[in-house]
Amino acid sequence: MHQKTDQELLALLRGGNQKAFAELYERYKRGLYAYCVRLLGDRQEAEDAVQETFVKLAAASIEEPSALKSWLYRVARNECLMGLRRNRASGDADSVWADETPLSLAEKSDTRLLVQRALERLAIEYREVLLLREFEGMSYGEITEVTGASPASVKSRLFRARRALAGVLQGVWNEERNLP
């Protein structure tokens, strides 16, 4: 059985085909949800962001159907950022960390939980590029399209986010092993 391309499904959707919408939803909902949960740290807010993204897809006229994935992630990102702005004040723009003491917040538990907690402590602009690259497997060009940042800024943010994440995780692991 032939699986329709995004372009074919978008053409059907423009013609009012609701099955095409359902197929696009099934194709992208898991990845978008995972991205939003990691970005927001809240499952309900992530569900809301994904739903709003698909509501906008239903009403959108995407000019470049081959860029549907980037378009969806860009809209989901904007929904997440609006949610974050509504829920908390932004931190110091020059700080990599959203809070001052991420190490003190990390609990002694399995590696996955430690990484998730450390990711949650990163400021949003660093967390999003790391999530898009490492968890969603996007190229630098795709990340540039999603975030609207320059390629140099994307590379810089990735470097700083990886360095900060590695530093916190190394500190936690050393602490667990009682190393200096």
Side-chain angles (χ1 to χ4, degrees), residues 17-175:
N17 185 322
Q18 290 305 307
K19 288 183 181 180
F21 179 83
E23 197 169 330
L24 286 169
Y25 179 78
E26 288 301 317
R27 185 173 291 176
Y28 288 105
K29 73 175 180 179
R30 283 188 185 100
L32 286 170
Y33 176 73
Y35 169 66
C36 291
V37 165
R38 290 181 188 118
L39 201 56
L40 295 166
D42 183 282
R43 292 179 186 278
Q44 184 59 49
E45 287 184 34
E47 285 179 21
D48 292 346
V50 171
Q51 292 301 319
E52 286 299 317
T53 299
F54 281 100
V55 165
K56 290 181 179 178
L57 173 63
S61 59
I62 299 171
E63 294 182 23
E64 187 59 44
S66 63
L68 175 64
K69 182 178 179 180
S70 295
W71 185 91
L72 287 169
Y73 276 86
R74 186 171 46 251
V75 172
R77 170 191 183 262
N78 290 339
E79 290 296 324
C80 290
L81 292 177
M82 285 190 302
L84 287 171
R85 279 187 216 112
R86 282 191 301 265
N87 294 331
R88 60 182 112 131
S90 63
D92 180 11
D94 293 332
S95 175
V96 172
W97 298 106
D99 290 330
E100 293 180 27
T101 59
L103 184 57
S104 67
L105 300 173
E107 297 175 352
K108 293 182 180 181
S109 60
D110 65 25
T111 302
R112 185 174 175 190
L113 180 59
L114 288 173
V115 171
Q116 182 60 36
R117 295 261 168 106
L119 280 171
E120 289 171 1
R121 307 310 333 145
L122 285 173
I124 190 71
E125 64 269 15
Y126 298 98
R127 185 180 340 148
E128 73 177 344
V129 294
L130 195 61
L131 291 172
L132 290 170
R133 179 71 178 165
E134 304 302 336
F135 289 88
E136 300 303 323
M138 289 189 176
S139 68
Y140 291 106
E142 289 173 317
I143 296 169
T144 297
E145 286 180 39
V146 169
T147 63
S150 70
S153 179
V154 167
K155 289 177 184 178
S156 173
R157 289 177 188 178
L158 271 169
F159 175 79
R160 290 183 72 193
R162 286 175 177 149
R163 185 177 61 193
L165 189 62
V168 163
L169 293 175
Q170 185 65 48
V172 171
W173 285 316
N174 286 346
E175 185 178 293

